[in-house]
Amino acid sequence: MTKQKKETIMGRREVIAAIRHSFLRLSPGYQMRNPVMFVVYTGAIVTTVLCFYKVEGDKQTWFVAGVALWLWFTCLFANFAEAIAEGRGKAQAASLRAARRDIQAKQLKSPEKRDEYLHVSSATLRKGHFVLVDSGDFIPGDGQVVAGIASVDESAITGESAPVIRESGGDRDAVTGGTQILSDWLVIKMTADPGESFLDKMIALVEGAKRQKTPNEIALAILLAGMTIIFLLACATLLPYSLYAVQKSGAGSVVGVTVLVALLVCLSPTTIGGLLSAIGIAGMDRLVQANVVAKSGRAVESAGDVNVLLLDKTGTITHGNRQAVAFHAAEGGSIQHLADAAELSSLADETPEGKSIVHLAHEEYGVTPRDMSSIEGAFVPFSAETRVSGIELKDTKILKGAVDAVEALVTAAGGSPSPSARQIADRIAREGGTPLLIARGNRILGVVQLKDIVKHGIKDRLADLRRMGIKSVMVTGDNPLTAAAIAAEAGVDDYIAQATPQTKLDYIKKMQTGGELVAMVGDGTNDAPALAQADVAVVMNSGTQAAKEAGNMVDLDSDPTKLIEIVEIGKQLLMTRGALTTFSIANDVAKYFAIIPAAFASTYPALLTLNIMHLATPQSAILSAVIFNALVIVFLIPLALKGVSYKPVGASRLLQRNVLFYGIGGVIVPFIGIKAVDLILVAMGVT
Amino acid sequence: MNMSFNDALQIFLYFLVLFVCVKPLGIFMSRVYQGERTFLSGALGWLEKGIYKISGVNPEEEMTWKAYAWHVTIFSTVCFAALYAILRLQAGLPFNPEKMAGLSPDLAFNTAASFTTNTNWQAYGGETTMSYLTQMAGLGVQNFISAAVGMAVMASFIRSFVRKNSGTIGNFWADMVRGLVYILLPLSFVLALVLVGQGVVQTFGSSVEAHLLDPLKTSAHVVNTQTIAVGPAASQVSIKQLGTNGGGFFNVNSAHPLENPTALSNFLEMLAILLIPAACCYAFGHMVGDTRQGWAILAVMTIICLPLLIFCYGQEQGGNPRLAALGHIEQRQGIYQSGGNMEGKEDRFGVVNSAIWATTTTAASNGSVNSMHDSYTSLGGLVPMLMMQFSEIIYGGVGCGLYGMLVYALITVFIAGLMVGRTPEYLGKKIQAYEIKMSSVVLLVPLFCTLLGAAVAVLTSAGQAGPFNTGAHGFSEILYGFSSAGNNNGSAFAGLGADTPFYNEVLGISMLLSRFWCMLPVLAIAGSLSAKNAVPPSAGTLPTHTPLFIFLLTGVVLMVGVLTYVPALALGPLADYFQTLHSIHQG
Amino acid sequence: MTMSSLRISILMWLSLTVIFGGLYPALVTGISKAIFPAQATGSLIRDEAVRVVGSRLVGQEFSDPDYFWGRLSATVPMPYNAASSSGSNYGPNNDDLMKTVQARVKALHDADPGNESDVPVDLVTASASGLDPDISIAAARYQAARVARLRGLTEKDIDDLITKNTQPRAFGVLGEPVVNVLMLNLDIHRKAAHATGGKR
C-alpha cells in the first residue's frame, strides 16, 4: 500500500553544494537569527582580531589563531548541518518540480461549452478559470472537477502507479497540477493561482524556504538563549574576578580574552544550537518521505502530542467491505436451498459483498458454479428506495437486502415475516455482523451473515498506540451493537457508532474540553467541520478540496493508517531536540575540567590539581575543548537528520533510555573526546 | 572521614523529626490556602476577618495575575517605605531604652530592602543599632509579612496548576492574611515560649550591668563590669527562624547565647528553618491532588542537601590543616571534645550542629547562623555558598523556595518532555514558549545580581575595601555576600565590611531585584498556566513523581548552579583550598 | 486600582504592625514573665548582695591563671563584650589567625609550663559569638591541674566541680557536653574563699 520509502543518500553534489552554502551563510544577518551560534560567530570575529592586535593575556598568536580558526569551523559546521538538511529536501523538490513544468492548457470560456477553448500557458491561469483536460493531457494546476469522469495518473505526486478515478460531485473531485489524465476527459475549475498550487507549497516546504519555527522550537530557542546569557555572565565576570585575583595574590597574569571566549563557546549549548534548524528541516523531510505534506511545522509537532486518534472503521480498521461468512436457514427451510438462492441472487451483483456471497456458496456450501448468461432472468440492482437487490426469474423473484426492507416486501407480496429468521438476524447484529435476508417470492428462506473483516496487524498497531499513551477511537456509521463488536475485536479504546458529521464534531469538542488533543483522518466534504476542529487533521489526497482546506496535512498515498506514522514522526522530531539538548548541556562538565584549571593556572598553580584528564598544557587543553566542541556538531549531523530512534513504549521507558544515552553519555563522551584531541595535538607538536 | 555515631544520630534525628512534621503541617497549610476550615478557624477567625474589615479587603474577590502582582508590588513598596522611615526616625520614637540613633540613609535603605525581601542581610549589629521598637514594629513585623507574601505567591502559583481555563489565581490579601494568622502566628507564638523556657531573653528592660568575677586589666584601665544586652528577642527569633528570615536580634544571630542558649533550643531553631519550606512541598502535593508530586520535590531538595551537609561536616570535623601544622593543638574528636575547626563555632553546638545549621540555613533562604561561616574551612565554607547559589530552591525561602523549585521543574519537564516526544507538560499544563521565557528570567535574575554585583565590587575601590581576609578568601567574602543578597539568603562571610554606602546600596538593589524580578515572572507563569486547559495523564505523559524524574530535576538544579558558579568558585574557595594544601606541602 | 491598592496596603500595614509588632511581642513577653521569669530576663546570677555577677548563659573573660579560661573572644573593644557580640571572622588561611592561635598556645604554656599535652582546639580558637559561656570537657581537664595547684585544691575537688558544672547532651543525644566556665569559676571562687578565708 505505502510505497517503499526512498532514503535520499547524501550525494557528492549535495555535499559540495552544502559546503558552498556553509560559507555563504557566514553573513552577520544570517547568523543573528540563531542567538547561540551568533555568540560563536562573535567570538570568532573577536579572536580573529586578537590575532593581529597583541593584547595583554592574548600574546601567543598561534594559540589565539588556533582558537579563532576552530570557532570559524564551529560556525561552518552548524551552517553545513542546516545546508545539508535543506539539500536533501531540495533533491526531492527537484523531482517534484519536474512535474510543474509549463503546460499547454485548454481554457474554456464557460464550463458548459466543451468545444470552445483557447490554448493558453498554464502560467496564465487564475483561480476560477475553467479548463478542459483530455486523455493524455497534463492537468495544468490544482482544481476541482466540475464535469466528466476520468482515470488519472498521480504517480508524479504520490508515487503510486495505479491510476485513480476523478469525477465531479462527491468526494473524488480534487485534482492536482502536474498529474496526467489517462482516459476520458474532465472539466476543471482552477482553485489556485500559479505558484500557490499544492505542488508549489510542497516544494517550498521541503526546500525549507518558507519554514517557520514551530512552538516547541521557539520555546527551546528561548531556553537556549537564556542559558547562553547565563554562561555569558559567568564568563564575562571572570575577567574582573581574575583581575582582582592577580592583584591580590600578586602572581600570574589575568585570564585572556581568547580563553574567556573559548570557555563561553564551549559552555554555550552550541551542539543543539548548531543543529536545531537542521533537526526541524529533517523532520519535515521525513514527513515528505512518508508522502505526507503538512501545511505547517506546527501540525507535525502537534501530531506528537496527540492523545486521541479518530480512525475511520472502513479502510483503517477493517477492509473496506463486508464479507459473507455463513448462511442460516429460516425455520422449516433447508440450508442448501438458501445457499442456492443466495448464490442466484448475487450472481450479477458486482459489489464485494455480492461476490463474497457467491464465493461462499461455491466454496463452503457446494453450490455448483453457474454463469449469469445461462440463466434466464434479469438482475434487480440495488436502489436506495427499495434497499434490496436480487434477480427476477421467469416465475419468481429472489431478493436479498436489509431485514426490515425484505420483510416489508414479503408482507406486501402476501407472505409473512419469519420469526426464526428475525431471531437469527438479531443475533448476528448483536455479534457485530450484518444480516441480509434472502426471500424467494413471498417466502423468507433465511439469513446471510456478513461480517467486517478486521485488518491483519491492526490490533498490534493499536496496542502500540496505547503504549504511547494514545487512545484510539473508531468512527463508523454502523449501529452501536455492530460497532461495539468490531471495536472489541480490533481492540480500539472507544467508538462512535452511527457517526454523522455532527456526532464526530461533538465528540472532538468534548475531548478537547477535557484537554485532549485529537487527530483524525478524513476525505469527504462532510468531514470538513470535524477536520477543522481536530488538532491534527490528515486529509486523503483523494479527498475533496473542501476537506483539504480544512485539514492541516495531506496524505498523498491516501492511506488511512498513515496517521500512526505521522504521530511517530512528530514524536521523533521533539525527541531529537530534547536528546541533543541534554547531550549538549551534559558535555559542559568535561569542558570545565579542561578549561578552568588551564585558565587560572598562572594565578593559582594549585588549581592544576583539577586537570584530571592530564591535558598537556593549558593551551592544548583549551584548544582541545574548542576542537571537540566543533567536531561534535559534525558527528551528530547524521543523528540530527535521521532523528533519534523511536519505539512505541511508555514515556518513562523512553525517557530512561534517552537519559542514559544522551545524558550520562553526554557526560562521559567529551572526557574521552577532549583527551583524544589533546593527544593528537601533542603528537602534532601543537602545544 | 569518620563520623561519630552520635553525630550521625543527630543528623538522622533532625531529618526524621522534620519529615514527621511535614505531612500534618502540609495538610494544614493546604487547607488554609484553599480557604477551608481548620481547627484554628474558631480561635483565630475573628482576627482574619478583623484585618479584612479594617483594611477594606474583600477576600472573595478573584485576581488576575497582573492584579495579584500589582497588589504585591504596592504593598511591598508601602512596607519598604514604612520600615525605612522607622529606621531613620527611631531616635525620636518610643521603646528606645539604649537611646539608639537613627540609621544612615544607605544603611536604612539596605536594611529596609533586606527585610521586605525576606533576605534579612544584616549590615548592622542588632544590639548596637536597633531600638526595641525598630526590632518589633519594624523588623519583626517584616519578618512576618515578607514570609507571608512569599507563601501567598506560592499558593497562587500552585492554584494555577489546579485551575483550568481560568483567568484568575486567587486573592493576594486573603492568601497573605491567612498565612499570617493561621500558620506563622501560632507557630511563632508556641516556639517563642519554648525558647524563653530554654533561656532566650524576652524583656522590655534595658541592658544589665554585671560585676566581673575576674576584672579585666587592660593597659589603660581596669574593666569591672560587663554590659549584657537583652531585649524582646524570643518573639523575634521564633519568626526569623520559621519565616526563613534569619535576621538576628543580636549581631551574631543564633550563635549568641541569649538567642540560642542550649542544644535543645538549637535543635528547635534548626527545625524551624526547614519546617515550613519542607511542609510547602507537601502542601503543594496536597493542593494539586497528588501528594507524590510533593514528595518528589522534597526528595530532590533532600538529595542535594544531605550529601552536601555531610561533606560540610566532614570538612569541618577534619579541622584546619594549618592549625594542625602549627603543632601542640588537639583537633581530633574525642569523648571530651567535639574537636574539628572550632574557630567561629560555639562549644555547646560543636561541629555537627554548626554544619547542619550552616547547610540548612543556606539551603533554605534563612541566613541565620549559629557559627561564623567566614571561619569555615575552604571547602566547608563552599557548601553554604553553593547552597545559596542554587538560587535558594533547596527548601528555599518559605513559599519562594517551592515556587523557585517548581520553575526548575518546569525547565526539567521541558527538556525531559521533549525527550519523550511530546510538548512538555507538568501536572497536565503544557509548558510552552511563554512559560520558558518567564522561567528563564527567574533563573537569570539571581545569577545576574550575584555575578555582576561581585564583578562591580572587585572593580571598584569601595568594593575592594570590603574584604577582611586576604587573597582568595577575600574574594570568597565578596562572592558570598553577593550570593547571599542576590538569592535573598542573608547570611554572610561576616568579615566583609558591609556597612558602607557602596555595599549597602549595591547589595540592597540586588536584594530587591532578585526578590521581585523572580516573583513577578512566577506570577506571570501562574496566570498563563491558570488560563490553560489540563491534559489528562496517559501512558505517553512524562510522570513527574518517579525516581527518574527526581534524578533529572536534581541533575538540572546541580548543572545550572554548578556550571554557572564553578569559574567564580575556582577563584574563591577552590583556590583557597588548593593553595592551603600546596603551602602546607611545601612548608 | 492604584489608589485603592495603596489605601488597602497602608491600612493593612498599620493593622499588621499593631498585631505582629505590638500585641504579639507584648503577649509573649507577658506570658514569659509569668512562667519563665528568670530565663526571660537573661538568666542572671546574683551574689549574696543580690548584685548581678553575670548571666549563666553569657561568658566572661578570665585571664588569671588561677581561674579556668574560656574560649577566645573577638569582641571589641574588649573580649566578652556582651553589648556587642562578634566572631573573629578569620578565614581558615588567615595568617593573623595563626598568630592569635600561637599566642594563645604560648600563654597557656606560660601559665602552666609543666603541661605537655596538646591543647584542645576550642581553647585556642575564638567562639562565634565572642560570648561562649562554655568550654569542652577536654579544655577543662587540660586546665584542671593548673587551677588546682594555684588554688591549693586537690585535683579531685576540681574534678568534682567540673563534673558538677558539666552540661551533658540534651536527652543524651543533642549538642555537645560542655562545662560552664563562669559557673565553674564561681564555684572555685567560693570553695577557695572557704579554704583560704578569702584570698580576694
Side-chain angles (χ1 to χ4, degrees):
Chain A
M1 199 183 298
T2 314
K3 77 185 165 121
Q4 203 64 35
K5 279 187 217 165
K6 44 180 196 281
E7 192 65 48
T8 324
I9 296 156
M10 277 185 244
R12 243 184 86 192
R13 275 184 42 200
E14 278 88 358
V15 172
I16 291 168
I19 290 173
R20 200 170 61 87
H21 278 286
S22 318
F23 281 95
L24 292 178
R25 288 175 188 186
L26 283 179
S27 72
Y30 198 90
Q31 293 292 320
M32 205 122 52
R33 303 194 317 185
N34 183 338
V36 180
M37 291 316 293
F38 188 66
V39 165
V40 183
Y41 182 74
T42 314
I45 293 173
V46 169
T47 45
T48 307
V49 171
L50 284 175
C51 290
F52 300 103
Y53 296 92
K54 297 232 159 57
V55 180
E56 186 66 36
D58 297 286
K59 275 188 179 149
Q60 282 168 297
T61 308
W62 68 268
F63 169 66
V64 179
V67 171
L69 185 69
W70 279 96
L71 293 186
W72 285 118
F73 275 138
T74 312
C75 291
L76 286 174
F77 291 160
N79 288 348
F80 178 75
E82 195 184 55
I84 200 88
E86 284 179 11
R88 270 161 47 116
K90 280 206 181 93
Q92 255 167 330
S95 72
L96 287 171
R97 199 179 274 122
R100 199 197 55 172
R101 50 185 170 218
D102 204 26
I103 295 163
Q104 279 291 308
K106 298 162 182 165
Q107 189 182 355
L108 297 172
K109 290 212 171 93
S110 95
E112 288 81 32
K113 297 178 187 150
R114 273 207 292 131
D115 36 3
E116 289 176 26
Y117 57 75
L118 287 170
H119 281 285
V120 297
S121 156
S122 61
T124 63
L125 290 173
R126 290 291 175 272
K127 210 188 258 183
H129 287 175
F130 292 95
V131 292
L132 172 72
V133 191
D134 282 318
S135 174
D137 289 351
F138 282 93
I139 296 174
D142 289 4
Q144 188 184 3
V145 179
V146 292
I149 177 164
S151 63
V152 180
D153 173 12
E154 295 194 338
S155 60
I157 307 268
T158 65
E160 180 69 42
S161 56
V164 294
I165 300 294
R166 292 284 174 254
E167 61 187 330
S168 66
D171 289 350
R172 293 187 296 181
D173 69 349
V175 290
T176 312
T179 56
Q180 189 182 19
I181 295 205
L182 296 178
S183 66
D184 306 297
W185 54 269
L186 294 173
V187 173
I188 296 164
K189 181 183 178 186
M190 307 307 294
T191 52
D193 291 335
E196 286 173 15
S197 75
F198 188 58
L199 200 60
D200 291 302
K201 281 185 204 155
M202 202 163 142
I203 291 168
L205 196 79
V206 293
E207 280 188 324
K210 266 193 167 175
R211 211 178 73 82
Q212 282 182 329
K213 283 186 175 170
T214 56
N216 277 314
E217 194 179 351
I218 293 170
L220 181 56
I222 292 172
L223 182 66
L224 296 179
M227 284 165 59
T228 307
I229 297 175
I230 290 176
F231 292 130
L232 184 65
L233 260 175
C235 294
T237 50
L238 271 187
L239 192 59
Y241 297 170
S242 167
L243 265 169
Y244 180 78
V246 171
Q247 185 189 333
K248 290 289 154 181
S249 69
S253 53
V254 178
V255 62
V257 174
T258 309
V259 174
L260 290 180
V261 168
L263 182 62
L264 173 58
V265 168
C266 286
L267 294 183
S268 300
T270 47
T271 312
I272 177 69
L275 292 171
L276 192 57
S277 68
I279 294 170
I281 297 167
M284 294 297 274
D285 193 45
R286 280 197 296 279
L287 198 66
V288 172
Q289 278 174 22
N291 260 348
V292 176
V293 179
K295 288 189 180 168
S296 69
R298 190 191 191 102
V300 188
E301 253 181 19
S302 304
D305 293 348
V306 157
N307 33 23
V308 175
L309 217 52
L310 255 51
L311 298 167
D312 270 333
K313 182 197 79 175
T314 310
T316 310
I317 292 166
T318 63
H319 287 288
N321 18 47
R322 286 171 286 210
Q323 294 184 336
V325 290
F327 298 124
H328 303 274
E331 207 173 47
S334 94
I335 191 91
Q336 216 48 48
H337 204 150
L338 170 65
D340 193 64
E343 192 248 17
L344 258 179
S345 72
S346 305
L347 269 182
D349 186 349
E350 283 298 318
T351 66
E353 289 171 19
K355 282 181 183 164
S356 79
I357 292 174
V358 174
H359 185 79
L360 181 72
H362 294 168
E363 298 297 316
E364 304 284 330
Y365 293 87
V367 175
T368 324
R370 278 170 290 201
D371 194 349
M372 188 64 194
S373 54
S374 69
I375 296 158
E376 289 177 43
F379 178 52
V380 180
F382 180 84
S383 79
E385 212 172 306
T386 59
R387 294 192 294 145
V388 296
S389 67
I391 191 163
E392 180 140 25
L393 301 170
K394 287 178 300 199
D395 49 345
T396 181
K397 248 191 200 170
I398 303 175
L399 294 175
K400 70 169 194 287
V403 175
D404 46 351
V406 173
E407 280 184 348
L409 285 173
V410 165
T411 313
S416 58
S418 155
S420 65
R422 179 92 212 189
Q423 262 176 9
I424 296 165
D426 284 349
R427 184 174 53 78
I428 291 170
R430 261 199 312 281
E431 289 167 0
T434 309
L436 288 182
L437 284 194
I438 302 284
R440 183 189 271 271
N442 61 5
R443 196 170 150 240
I444 288 170
L445 298 180
V447 189
V448 180
Q449 182 179 3
L450 296 177
K451 201 177 160 215
D452 267 316
I453 305 298
V454 171
K455 276 188 175 175
H456 185 71
I458 193 75
K459 199 162 182 170
D460 292 340
R461 282 213 99 167
L462 293 175
D464 281 352
L465 284 178
R466 201 165 304 120
R467 271 194 294 278
M468 287 154 68
I470 299 173
K471 192 170 132 183
S472 53
V473 180
M474 182 181 84
V475 182
T476 171
D478 293 341
N479 64 53
L481 282 178
T482 313
I486 297 169
E489 192 180 340
V492 291
D493 299 304
D494 196 6
Y495 59 87
I496 311 174
Q498 285 164 343
T500 63
Q502 190 59 40
T503 53
K504 273 197 226 180
L505 186 62
D506 292 344
Y507 188 87
I508 294 174
K509 280 186 177 160
K510 191 182 89 192
M511 284 288 141
Q512 287 172 335
T513 313
E516 315 271 11
L517 259 91
V518 185
M520 73 171 285
V521 182
D523 52 5
T525 301
N526 58 9
D527 281 335
L531 286 167
Q533 181 70 34
D535 301 283
V536 175
V538 182
V539 185
M540 304 289 100
N541 192 38
S542 57
T544 62
Q545 196 62 33
K548 282 185 186 172
E549 297 280 331
N552 42 22
M553 282 186 216
V554 177
D555 176 21
L556 301 174
D557 295 337
S558 302
D559 169 11
T561 58
K562 189 65 76 60
L563 193 47
I564 298 172
E565 214 171 308
I566 295 172
V567 168
E568 290 183 358
I569 290 173
K571 285 194 179 295
Q572 210 186 12
L573 176 64
L574 295 186
M575 275 170 50
T576 309
R577 287 199 196 120
L580 289 186
T581 304
T582 309
F583 184 81
S584 196
I585 300 168
N587 271 207
D588 284 358
V589 177
K591 292 171 184 168
Y592 263 134
F593 277 105
I595 297 182
I596 294 292
F600 303 124
S602 75
T603 315
Y604 297 118
L607 281 176
L608 282 175
T609 322
L610 287 175
N611 180 10
I612 56 171
M613 283 180 274
H614 298 290
L615 305 175
T617 63
Q619 288 77 15
S620 78
I622 291 165
L623 211 48
S624 301
V626 172
I627 294 174
F628 172 82
N629 190 55
L631 288 179
V632 82
I633 295 181
V634 179
F635 285 124
L636 288 174
I637 289 177
L639 184 70
L641 297 187
K642 232 176 72 205
V644 304
S645 68
Y646 177 75
K647 289 206 179 68
V649 293
S652 297
R653 280 192 51 204
L654 210 53
L655 184 63
Q656 214 169 341
R657 218 189 50 154
N658 286 336
V659 167
L660 202 67
F661 267 48
Y662 300 100
I664 310 287
V667 172
I668 297 167
V669 166
F671 277 102
I672 302 164
I674 292 173
K675 179 69 188 173
V677 175
D678 186 68
L679 287 176
I680 294 169
L681 288 180
V682 171
M684 288 166 57
V686 188
T687 49
Chain B
M1 184 190 85
N2 290 314
M3 187 186 285
S4 78
F5 172 75
N6 194 68
D7 289 352
L9 187 62
Q10 292 197 64
I11 295 174
F12 173 76
L13 268 181
Y14 175 71
F15 280 98
L16 179 73
V17 175
L18 176 69
F19 291 146
V20 165
C21 297
V22 157
K23 187 172 169 180
L25 181 58
I27 293 175
F28 176 75
M29 287 175 65
S30 163
R31 299 187 60 182
V32 166
Y33 283 114
Q34 294 180 85
E36 292 171 22
R37 263 195 84 79
T38 62
F39 71 100
L40 286 177
S41 301
L44 293 170
W46 61 272
L47 191 57
E48 183 197 351
K49 290 192 193 75
I51 295 172
Y52 295 147
K53 196 157 185 188
I54 293 168
S55 339
V57 165
N58 171 15
E60 305 299 325
E61 182 192 329
E62 283 291 332
M63 294 177 183
T64 62
W65 82 263
K66 283 182 181 154
Y68 205 104
W70 182 250
H71 287 288
V72 169
T73 312
I74 295 286
F75 182 59
S76 298
T77 309
V78 166
C79 290
F80 175 87
L83 180 54
Y84 181 83
I86 292 178
L87 293 169
R88 297 279 287 140
L89 303 174
Q90 69 171 359
L93 296 172
F95 288 102
N96 188 3
E98 306 297 328
K99 303 280 170 267
M100 300 291 185
L103 274 61
S104 68
D106 56 286
L107 181 59
F109 165 76
N110 180 282
T111 307
S114 169
F115 278 77
T116 38
T117 57
N118 197 251
T119 310
N120 308 60
W121 168 267
Q122 291 168 275
Y124 60 88
E127 66 269 47
T128 53
T129 322
M130 301 296 178
S131 75
Y132 292 171
L133 180 93
T134 308
Q135 292 270 21
M136 294 186 302
L139 308 182
V141 171
Q142 277 313 311
N143 279 347
F144 278 98
I145 289 178
S146 64
V149 169
M151 285 156 70
V153 171
M154 171 199 77
S156 73
F157 191 53
I158 297 175
R159 226 171 260 137
S160 74
F161 287 100
V162 183
R163 295 194 176 172
K164 290 178 196 171
N165 305 315
S166 153
T168 59
I169 56 173
N171 182 299
F172 167 61
W173 303 115
D175 285 343
M176 182 185 69
V177 171
R178 283 173 190 155
L180 281 170
V181 170
Y182 297 115
I183 300 168
L184 295 175
L185 181 61
L187 281 173
S188 304
F189 185 74
V190 172
L191 181 60
L193 289 181
V194 176
L195 289 180
V196 175
Q198 287 297 302
V200 179
V201 285
Q202 178 72 25
T203 171
F204 291 136
S206 57
S207 56
V208 182
E209 291 287 307
H211 297 268
L212 290 178
L213 190 56
D214 182 14
L216 199 64
K217 295 153 281 263
T218 66
S219 51
H221 49 98
V222 175
V223 180
N224 282 307
T225 57
Q226 180 187 40
T227 305
I228 302 172
V230 292
S235 59
Q236 200 162 323
V237 170
S238 64
I239 180 62
K240 72 132 176 164
Q241 294 303 105
L242 285 162
T244 57
N245 295 285
F249 191 87
F250 298 106
N251 184 40
V252 291
N253 212 301
S254 280
H256 197 293
L258 291 178
E259 191 158 331
N260 186 10
T262 66
L264 182 61
S265 73
N266 185 66
F267 185 83
L268 293 174
E269 288 184 22
M270 287 198 305
L271 188 66
I273 292 176
L274 290 191
L275 183 64
I276 294 179
C280 281
C281 298
Y282 194 89
F284 159 67
H286 198 257
M287 280 173 83
V288 300
D290 182 0
T291 50
R292 295 174 310 178
Q293 305 291 344
W295 286 120
I297 297 288
L298 188 60
V300 171
M301 296 172 169
T302 309
I303 287 170
I304 295 175
C305 179
L306 193 54
L308 282 170
L309 192 167
I310 292 170
F311 176 77
C312 177
Y313 163 82
Q315 289 299 315
E316 291 311 297
Q317 193 63 68
N320 185 336
R322 287 201 54 192
L323 287 197
L326 291 178
H328 307 298
I329 296 166
E330 180 59 89
Q331 293 195 78
R332 283 174 303 173
Q333 187 173 23
I335 47 168
Y336 293 128
Q337 72 162 3
S338 76
N341 174 26
M342 284 303 288
E343 181 72 19
K345 293 189 180 63
E346 298 280 295
D347 258 324
R348 61 194 178 284
F349 309 139
V351 165
V352 67
N353 285 297
S354 300
I356 297 177
W357 190 303
T359 311
T360 55
T361 195
T362 45
S365 79
N366 190 292
S368 62
V369 295
N370 76 347
S371 57
M372 293 297 121
H373 296 181
D374 210 351
S375 299
Y376 272 44
T377 59
S378 305
L379 294 185
L382 174 71
V383 170
M385 179 143 38
L386 197 57
M387 277 300 190
M388 299 188 297
Q389 291 169 343
F390 287 138
S391 302
E392 288 306 355
I393 56 169
I394 314 302
Y395 306 105
V398 287
C400 325
L402 183 77
Y403 68 62
M405 182 56 104
L406 289 180
V407 166
Y408 273 78
L410 297 188
I411 301 274
T412 307
V413 156
F414 183 75
I415 297 172
L418 288 181
M419 277 200 283
V420 302
R422 271 167 77 111
T423 296
E425 59 212 36
Y426 188 51
L427 304 175
K429 300 286 189 164
K430 285 206 180 299
I431 308 307
Q432 291 159 315
Y434 185 77
E435 289 77 24
I436 292 298
K437 195 188 296 174
M438 290 301 155
S439 300
S440 300
V441 175
V442 175
L443 248 63
L444 217 72
V445 168
L447 309 181
F448 181 85
C449 293
T450 306
L451 289 173
L452 221 57
V456 170
V458 298
L459 283 180
T460 53
S461 56
Q464 289 188 0
F468 166 70
N469 285 285
T470 53
H473 196 77
F475 177 67
S476 296
E477 288 183 337
I478 295 178
L479 186 63
Y480 194 102
F482 281 93
S483 300
S484 178
N487 293 287
N488 289 160
N489 179 275
S491 71
F493 269 11
L496 186 74
D499 184 14
T500 64
F502 171 82
Y503 278 105
N504 278 334
E505 282 155 19
V506 179
L507 291 171
I509 292 167
S510 279
M511 291 186 265
L512 290 170
L513 277 180
S514 175
R515 166 84 162 182
F516 293 105
W517 281 103
C518 286
M519 208 175 249
L520 296 183
V522 162
L523 286 170
I525 296 174
S528 164
L529 291 180
S530 159
K532 289 185 188 199
N533 201 348
V535 183
S538 73
T541 314
L542 171 81
T544 50
H545 60 266
T546 56
L548 183 61
F549 184 78
I550 292 171
F551 170 79
L552 271 179
L553 179 53
T554 308
V556 168
V557 172
L558 290 177
M559 283 297 250
V560 172
V562 171
L563 289 184
T564 312
Y565 288 105
V566 155
L569 290 173
L571 290 174
L574 292 180
D576 204 17
Y577 173 74
F578 288 115
Q579 292 283 92
T580 310
L581 282 191
H582 211 65
S583 66
I584 289 170
H585 228 65
Q586 289 178 337
Chain C
M1 192 158 86
T2 313
M3 283 324 288
S4 84
S5 176
L6 197 60
R7 201 191 60 239
I8 294 174
S9 294
I10 292 170
L11 292 171
M12 185 66 80
W13 180 81
L14 278 173
S15 49
L16 295 183
T17 300
V18 170
I19 297 166
F20 293 96
L23 298 180
Y24 160 74
L27 197 63
V28 174
T29 310
I31 297 176
S32 301
K33 202 168 183 177
I35 57 178
F36 302 118
Q39 290 94 321
T41 47
S43 310
L44 302 174
I45 315 160
R46 293 167 196 275
D47 59 11
E48 299 81 356
V50 208
R51 203 174 60 153
V52 175
V53 294
S55 161
R56 188 171 53 82
L57 297 174
V58 179
Q60 290 180 7
E61 168 75 353
F62 291 96
S63 49
D64 209 321
D66 59 5
Y67 279 119
F68 279 88
W69 295 358
R71 307 281 309 271
L72 284 177
S73 166
T75 57
V76 283
M78 65 282 200
Y80 288 94
N81 177 2
S84 178
S85 55
S86 169
S88 76
N89 289 315
Y90 284 135
N93 216 358
N94 192 315
D95 291 334
D96 289 342
L97 170 65
M98 304 309 142
K99 283 180 202 143
T100 314
V101 169
Q102 273 171 318
R104 176 70 160 188
V105 172
K106 183 169 178 295
L108 283 162
H109 273 276
D110 290 349
D112 190 13
N115 193 343
E116 290 296 313
S117 42
D118 285 348
V119 187
V121 64
D122 62 321
L123 219 44
V124 301
T125 48
S127 65
S129 59
L131 302 174
D132 195 339
D134 305 313
I135 51 176
S136 65
I137 300 174
R141 291 164 71 102
Y142 175 85
Q143 304 180 69
R146 181 192 78 213
V147 176
R149 195 178 63 246
L150 293 174
R151 287 284 177 176
L153 296 169
T154 64
E155 291 209 24
K156 165 94 177 42
D157 291 335
I158 297 290
D159 281 348
D160 287 346
L161 289 180
I162 291 175
T163 312
K164 179 186 162 219
N165 287 294
T166 297
Q167 174 76 40
R169 288 193 171 101
F171 313 114
V173 183
L174 301 180
E176 301 293 336
V178 284
V179 180
N180 187 309
V181 181
L182 176 60
M183 301 303 278
L184 175 62
N185 282 339
L186 279 172
D187 277 348
I188 285 170
H189 180 70
R190 279 189 212 108
K191 189 156 189 115
H194 270 289
T196 64
K199 178 187 143 195
R200 284 160 189 267

